[in-house]
């Protein structure tokens, strides 16, 4: 995935499940997508990353919903109420699909949701969906 | 106009009094006139008598004169002297009697000189007889002067007599008339008295009886009301302009007063001070619907009450009849029910949360297992057929479990966090459902025919799309040939029946109900993969919408799945499709 000037985009992946983190990273690798992926293990770490001036500002955030300490919806609230962060597109990752029904995503611009797949092959499909979404966003 | 008894009596007696006065006045008047007429008759008779006396005395005087003239005997002069002695007096008496009657007076005035002349003539002849003898006196008589005078006198007296007789007739007639009138008046008065008195007695009696009866009826009604109010369990008070007029026993018991002790108290004193203004307003507005408030007993304790008042007319007063009901128990029951409902709601929420977390937390390890199982062959290198079989069976089981979890979650969520039903264009729902699993349709090569102009229904579009999706995907799944599926709907006045018909394997008789039960399946996983939840979800969603589900089927021919939904366009008839409604306008 590339930004406007052909640079690779920075992605922040927020997920406490290390298996899923591994799968997503592997899927990126398998799909030969060489974007820089930063990992935050929970919501608080994600906010700390976003507020740290020494770290790059992500172009896209992938965020799990269920996390200890600060969950995905709280992370979403914080980001969408922060003037400097609210323009960053966010894709919420869910396990059950139920969250998709929740109104919370509809209240914000540049906010999407995707269901985590049960097989690795599907992870790669999800990555394709992420890319499609990204293209929609930058266009 | 209805007069009161007093007015009737007064006017009745007034009328009678007036009548009696009139009759009395008339009788008095008539009597006076009768007396006067009688007096006049008597007077006339006296005049006539005097006239007769004058005539008779003149005749006596003349007879005496003649006797003396013929015989010369002094004895004849006796009557003559007697007559002449009284004549003057009699004429004077007549003059006095006829004072006021000018005609008679005039005649008397004419009569008097004639009588004087006649007496003078008589006197002259007697004197001549005495002095000059019979012949001399005869010479005077023969002059006829005396006879002429006598004739004139007789004429005058006759005139006077006639006049008096006329008067007599007149007065007699008047007296008779008066007497007649008097008799009539008295008779009329008596008759009136005899008629009006019983009439008055009748009217008074009638009125008094009516009054007595009304009073009796009123007393009876009052007693009946009292018995009724005593018999009722509700506390009842009657008030007028905010003051208690009367209460029943239940009222005294409910509020802790001695019977009749509360009479005269202000009606709002039975309500706690903070509720008084509200109650006052309701009374002022004539509120007749029951309302709740808090009541105050004599000992200062309070209780929740339901009050119902009504304005009634009682003997030309407007009174308010108010019933009080102690609703402590009801309130407690309500409170209990509220607590129970709140607890139930909480438990429901917890269950839902539990379902959600369970599904989520169970899915996460499944995902890891499945993904790692997939990745494993790469690290292991080429596997034996047996090992590959094992691996694929594990993966199948994991995916089945994942689907089970998803379906269970979907099933448990029906009706918990859904939107209220809205006006929904079912054409759009069908399209939405088909779009959701376009891949599966395309892979299967199914031919899906959707009848045009499906109706507008009251539904949650997402849930009904789920129903159609489950039914259509079932039809595709349970089919050995190219699936041909037809979606249609028919409407009655209130509801629409949708039908998803297929050419699939059908359902054996006797299983039509079973298939809608959760986890109920007719085939093994090897034959047809599935969780046994799809139709249970369909049934649950349709029931949540107030509809019914059923199936008609023939083995190897196909099945028809039916479900009903409330019709929303029954004003427009079947087949009209309003695109605005498809966007899901909220009903309330």
């Amino acid at each position: 995935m590339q930004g406007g000037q052909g640079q690779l985009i920075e992605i922040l992946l927020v997920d406490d499940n290390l298996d899923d983190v591994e799968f997503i990273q592997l899927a990126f690798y398998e799909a030969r997508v060489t974007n820089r992926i930063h990992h935050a293990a929970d919501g608080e770490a994600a906010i700390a990353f976003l507020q740290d001036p020494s770290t790059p500002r992500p172009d896209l955030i992938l965020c799990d919903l269920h996390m200890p300490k600060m969950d995905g919806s709280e992370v979403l609230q914080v980001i969408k109420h922060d003037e400097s962060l609210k323009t960053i597109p966010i894709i919420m990752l869910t396990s059950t699909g139920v969250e998709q029904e929740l109104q919370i995503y509809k209240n914000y611009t540049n906010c999407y949701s995707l269901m985590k797949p049960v097989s690795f092959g599907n992870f790669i499909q999800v990555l394709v969906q992420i890319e499609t979404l990204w293209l929609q966003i930058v266009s | 106009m209805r007069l009161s008894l007093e007015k009737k009596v007064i006017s009745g007696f007034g009328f009678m009094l007036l009548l009696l006065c009139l009759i009395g006045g008339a009788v008095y008047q008539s009597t006076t006139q009768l007396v006067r007429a009688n007096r006049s008759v008597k007077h006339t008779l006296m005049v006539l008598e005097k006239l007769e006396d004058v005539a008779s005395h003149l005749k006596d005087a003349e007879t005496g004169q003649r006797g003396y003239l013929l015989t010369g005997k002094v004895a004849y002069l006796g009557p003559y002297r007697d007559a002449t002695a009284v004549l003057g007096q009699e004429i004077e008496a007549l003059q006095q009697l006829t004072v006021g009657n000018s005609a008679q007076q005039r005649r008397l005035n004419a009569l008097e000189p004639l009588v004087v002349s006649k007496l003078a003539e008589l006197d002259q002849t007697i004197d001549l007889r005495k002095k000059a003898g019979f012949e001399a006196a005869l010479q005077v008589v023969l002059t006829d002067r005396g006879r002429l005078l006598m004739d004139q006198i007789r004429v005058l007296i006759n005139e006077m007599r006639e006049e008096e007789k006329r008067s007599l007739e007149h007065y007699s007639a008047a007296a008779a008339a008066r007497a007649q009138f008097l008799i009539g008046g008295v008779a009329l008065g008596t008759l009136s008295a005899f008629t009006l008195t019983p009439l008055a007695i009748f009217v008074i009696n009638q009125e008094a009886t009516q009054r007595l009866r009304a009073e009796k009826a009123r007393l009876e009604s009052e007693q009946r009301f009292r018995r009724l109010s005593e018999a009722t369990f509700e506390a009842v008070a009657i008030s007028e302009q905010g003051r208690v007029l009367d209460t029943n026993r239940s009222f005294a018991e409910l509020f802790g007063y001695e019977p009749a002790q509360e009479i005269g108290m202000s009606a709002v004193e039975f309500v706690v001070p903070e509720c008084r203004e509200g109650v006052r307003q309701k009374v002022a507005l004539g509120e007749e619907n029951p309302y709740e408030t808090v009541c105050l007993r004599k000992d200062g304790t309070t209780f929740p009450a339901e009050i119902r008042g009504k304005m009634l007319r009682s003997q030309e007063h407007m009174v308010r009849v108010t019933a009080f009901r102690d609703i402590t128990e009801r309130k407690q029951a309500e409170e209990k029910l509220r607590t129970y409902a709140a607890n139930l709601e909480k438990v429901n929420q917890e269950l839902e949360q539990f379902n959600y977390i369970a599904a989520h937390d169970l899915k996460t390890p499944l995902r890891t297992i499945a993904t790692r199982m997939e990745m494993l062959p790469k690290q292991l290198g080429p596997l034996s057929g047996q090992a590959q079989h094992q691996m694929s069976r594990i993966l199948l089981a994991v995916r089945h479990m994942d689907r089970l979890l998803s379906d269970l979650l979907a099933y448990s969520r029906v009706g918990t966090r859904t939107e209220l039903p809205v006006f929904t264009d079912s054409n759009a729902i069908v399209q939405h459902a088909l779009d959701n699993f376009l891949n599966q349709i395309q892979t299967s090569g199914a031919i899906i025919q959707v009848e045009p102009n499906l109706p507008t229904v009251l539904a949650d579009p997402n849930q009904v799309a789920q129903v159609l999706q489950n039914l259509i995907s079932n039809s595709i799944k349970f089919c050995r040939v190219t699936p041909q599926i037809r979606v249609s709907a028919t409407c009655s006045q209130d509801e629409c029946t949708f039908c998803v018909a297929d050419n699939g394997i059908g359902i054996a008789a006797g299983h039509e109900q079973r298939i809608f039960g959760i986890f109920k399946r007719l085939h093994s996983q090897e034959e047809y993969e599935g969780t046994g939840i799809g139709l249970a979800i369909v049934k649950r969603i349709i029931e949540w919408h107030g509809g019914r589900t059923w199936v008609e089927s023939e083995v190897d021919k196909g099945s028809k799945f039916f479900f009903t939904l409330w019709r929303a366009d029954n004003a427009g008839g079947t087949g009209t499709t309003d695109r605005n409604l498809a966007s899901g306008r909220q009903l309330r």
Side-chain angles (χ1 to χ4, degrees):
Chain A
M1 285 197 280
Q2 297 185 334
Q5 283 84 42
Q7 306 144 310
L8 291 176
I9 61 166
E10 304 276 345
I11 295 172
L12 174 62
L13 173 62
V14 190
D15 199 333
D16 65 312
N17 188 323
L18 294 180
D19 287 317
D20 285 343
V21 172
E22 189 185 331
F23 299 150
I24 289 166
Q25 282 174 338
L26 263 175
F28 270 91
Y29 178 76
E30 289 276 319
R32 313 213 186 285
V33 180
T34 52
N35 291 71
R36 291 183 64 185
I37 298 173
H38 307 273
H39 173 237
D42 59 52
E44 285 183 359
I47 300 300
F49 179 90
L50 289 168
Q51 287 173 345
D52 185 350
S54 64
T55 58
R57 185 179 187 273
D59 300 296
L60 175 69
I61 299 169
L62 302 176
C63 184
D64 186 32
L65 255 179
H66 291 270
M67 292 182 293
K69 293 193 263 193
M70 188 184 207
D71 71 17
S73 62
E74 287 172 282
V75 173
L76 182 67
Q77 300 269 349
V78 172
I79 290 172
K80 289 297 172 189
H81 287 95
D82 186 315
E83 285 301 319
S84 63
L85 302 175
K86 70 177 183 186
T87 53
I88 304 174
I90 301 180
I91 297 172
M92 306 301 293
L93 301 172
T94 80
S95 303
T96 56
V98 170
E99 296 93 337
Q100 286 172 318
E101 293 169 18
L102 300 180
Q103 294 290 316
I104 180 167
Y105 306 112
K106 294 176 188 164
N107 294 339
Y108 301 108
T109 50
N110 282 349
C111 183
Y112 309 89
S113 63
L114 281 175
M115 197 164 149
K116 284 180 181 175
V118 195
S119 74
F120 184 67
N122 292 352
F123 260 109
I124 293 174
Q125 278 182 17
V126 167
L127 209 68
V128 174
Q129 283 177 291
I130 291 174
E131 206 160 6
T132 313
L133 272 176
W134 170 253
L135 286 174
Q136 278 177 12
I137 294 161
V138 290
S139 64
Chain B
M1 190 178 65
R2 185 139 176 85
L3 289 174
S4 69
L5 177 65
E6 289 76 10
K7 280 181 186 156
K8 269 189 192 168
V9 168
I10 289 170
S11 51
F13 278 97
F15 175 70
M16 278 170 68
L17 201 66
L18 186 70
L19 196 64
L20 286 175
C21 279
L22 281 173
I23 291 168
V27 168
Y28 172 77
Q29 184 83 6
S30 300
T31 313
T32 317
Q33 284 177 351
L34 181 64
V35 167
R36 203 177 296 144
N38 277 338
R39 202 181 292 144
S40 299
V41 168
K42 202 171 158 193
H43 182 260
T44 310
L45 286 174
M46 272 168 71
V47 172
L48 276 172
E49 196 186 316
K50 282 289 169 210
L51 281 172
E52 291 306 321
D53 284 351
V54 170
S56 149
H57 283 129
L58 271 175
K59 215 175 267 169
D60 288 350
E62 201 174 36
T63 311
Q65 173 232 15
R66 289 206 183 132
Y68 179 71
L69 287 184
L70 287 173
T71 62
K73 284 182 182 170
V74 180
Y76 283 101
L77 285 177
Y80 168 78
R81 291 199 198 291
D82 288 347
T84 52
V86 294
L87 266 169
Q89 289 170 12
E90 279 169 347
I91 284 175
E92 203 173 324
L94 270 174
Q95 260 167 344
Q96 290 205 341
L97 280 171
T98 56
V99 169
N101 188 335
S102 54
Q104 296 291 68
Q105 287 266 310
R106 206 168 45 245
R107 290 190 189 100
L108 268 179
N109 286 342
L111 184 68
E112 200 183 1
L114 287 174
V115 172
V116 170
S117 299
K118 178 66 186 175
L119 289 179
E121 189 256 351
L122 292 178
D123 199 42
Q124 187 193 0
T125 51
I126 289 167
D127 201 41
L128 277 174
R129 176 72 171 90
K130 209 183 280 177
K131 288 176 181 158
F134 177 74
E135 279 305 319
L138 183 65
Q139 287 308 312
V140 174
V141 171
L142 284 175
T143 59
D144 269 358
R145 205 175 125 242
R147 191 180 57 84
L148 286 171
L149 277 170
M150 200 60 188
D151 284 349
Q152 281 177 327
I153 286 167
R154 208 172 280 124
V155 167
L156 271 173
I157 286 178
N158 267 342
E159 276 180 12
M160 287 183 80
R161 200 187 276 141
E162 286 308 310
E163 166 113 16
E164 286 306 318
K165 274 186 184 162
R166 272 199 303 278
S167 291
L168 186 65
E169 268 171 32
H170 169 72
Y171 287 127
S172 293
R178 286 298 142 198
Q180 200 86 29
F181 185 80
L182 202 59
I183 292 165
V186 169
L188 187 67
T190 313
L191 195 68
S192 305
F194 273 105
T195 324
L196 286 176
T197 309
L199 191 71
I201 289 170
F202 175 75
V203 169
I204 290 169
N205 190 40
Q206 188 94 348
E207 192 77 18
T209 313
Q210 262 179 19
R211 277 205 175 190
L212 274 175
R213 205 175 292 147
E215 181 69 8
K216 206 178 154 197
R218 194 180 64 77
L219 279 173
E220 267 177 17
S221 136
E222 229 166 55
Q223 273 185 352
R224 210 178 306 131
F225 171 74
R226 179 139 287 280
R227 275 201 296 272
L228 194 69
S229 74
E230 293 301 348
T232 177
F233 294 118
E234 275 187 355
V236 179
I238 301 173
S239 56
E240 186 182 5
Q241 299 188 331
R243 291 272 154 203
V244 175
L245 290 179
D246 201 1
T247 61
N248 66 351
R249 201 176 296 139
S250 299
F251 185 93
E253 282 167 7
L254 180 62
F255 286 88
Y257 286 87
E258 296 296 314
Q261 196 183 12
E262 65 278 14
I263 288 166
M265 282 174 65
S266 169
V268 288
E269 280 180 63
F270 301 101
V271 173
V272 292
E274 55 268 34
C275 294
R276 281 176 192 169
E277 195 44 48
V279 170
R280 233 179 243 128
Q281 282 178 8
K282 289 207 184 281
V283 172
L285 290 170
E287 178 67 63
E288 295 203 345
N289 291 317
Y291 58 92
E292 289 180 9
T293 187
V294 180
C295 282
L296 183 65
R297 289 196 191 85
K298 192 189 176 189
D299 61 11
T301 56
T302 63
F303 63 93
E306 187 183 72
I307 295 184
R308 182 171 199 158
K310 197 170 169 61
M311 295 303 291
L312 290 176
R313 178 172 289 280
S314 163
Q315 318 241 318
E316 289 162 35
H317 301 273
M318 286 306 286
V319 297
R320 191 169 173 85
V321 178
T322 313
F324 298 75
R325 190 181 288 171
D326 185 345
I327 53 167
T328 309
E329 283 176 22
R330 192 213 288 176
K331 283 274 155 198
Q332 283 169 351
E334 277 174 11
E335 188 52 42
K336 220 183 255 176
L337 210 63
R338 240 195 310 276
T339 316
Y340 185 69
N343 282 340
L344 210 62
E345 177 74 10
K346 209 173 136 205
V347 168
N348 257 345
Q349 277 177 7
E350 281 171 3
L351 263 177
E352 198 192 321
Q353 191 64 18
F354 171 79
N355 277 335
Y356 174 62
I357 296 294
H360 175 267
D361 288 2
L362 290 173
K363 273 187 160 221
T364 307
L366 274 182
R367 198 166 52 239
T368 307
I369 295 168
T371 311
R372 291 204 183 283
M373 284 297 292
E374 265 183 311
M375 294 188 323
L376 202 52
K378 278 189 189 171
Q379 275 86 43
L380 292 176
L383 290 174
S384 68
Q386 190 67 20
Q388 275 183 14
H389 174 70
Q390 297 286 1
M391 299 280 272
S392 70
R393 293 303 288 186
I394 293 172
L395 269 175
L396 271 179
V398 168
R399 284 191 193 131
H400 182 63
M401 179 127 182
D402 181 67
R403 204 168 303 123
L404 265 175
L405 285 171
S406 294
D407 286 356
L408 260 182
L409 187 63
Y411 180 80
S412 72
R413 290 179 67 81
V414 172
T416 55
R417 230 179 246 204
T418 44
E419 310 270 323
L420 286 168
V422 291
F423 282 53
T424 309
D425 174 11
S426 46
N427 298 288
I429 307 181
V430 174
Q431 207 48 55
H432 178 53
L434 294 177
D435 289 346
N436 275 352
F437 63 127
L438 214 57
N439 279 339
Q440 196 194 334
I441 295 168
Q442 282 167 353
T443 314
S444 68
I447 300 162
I448 298 179
Q449 192 189 356
V450 180
E451 200 175 76
N453 298 329
L454 293 173
T456 299
V457 291
L458 266 180
D460 172 357
N462 286 325
Q463 288 198 73
V464 177
Q466 178 75 55
V467 167
L468 285 161
Q469 201 174 316
N470 288 7
L471 291 177
I472 294 168
S473 76
N474 265 1
S475 290
I476 292 172
K477 188 162 72 180
F478 296 102
C479 193
R480 296 198 185 102
V481 293
T482 305
Q484 291 186 357
I485 299 161
R486 183 181 160 80
V487 181
S488 60
T490 54
C491 288
S492 69
Q493 182 67 31
D494 297 322
E495 60 175 21
C496 294
T497 306
F498 288 81
C499 177
V500 177
D502 63 39
N503 58 341
I505 58 171
I507 296 153
H511 292 297
E512 291 90 346
Q513 288 300 311
R514 187 181 149 84
I515 54 168
F516 289 103
I518 190 164
F519 298 131
K520 301 296 182 196
R521 288 173 50 83
L522 301 179
H523 306 278
S524 70
Q525 283 297 332
E526 306 307 320
E527 277 184 292
Y528 295 101
E529 190 206 11
T531 58
I533 302 175
L535 284 178
I537 290 176
V538 166
K539 186 168 187 247
R540 204 162 179 200
I541 288 174
I542 295 302
E543 279 176 357
W544 182 83
H545 280 85
R548 291 162 289 130
T549 50
W550 70 96
V551 66
E552 290 170 6
S553 185
E554 213 176 316
V555 176
D556 293 334
K557 290 270 173 66
S559 306
K560 284 178 179 170
F561 281 88
F562 296 94
F563 63 90
T564 63
L565 288 171
W566 291 111
R567 188 175 178 181
D569 67 341
N570 49 358
T574 326
T576 57
T577 310
D578 185 348
R579 287 280 159 193
N580 291 332
L581 291 174
S583 59
R585 196 167 66 211
Q586 244 357 103
L587 252 191
R588 32 180 171 158

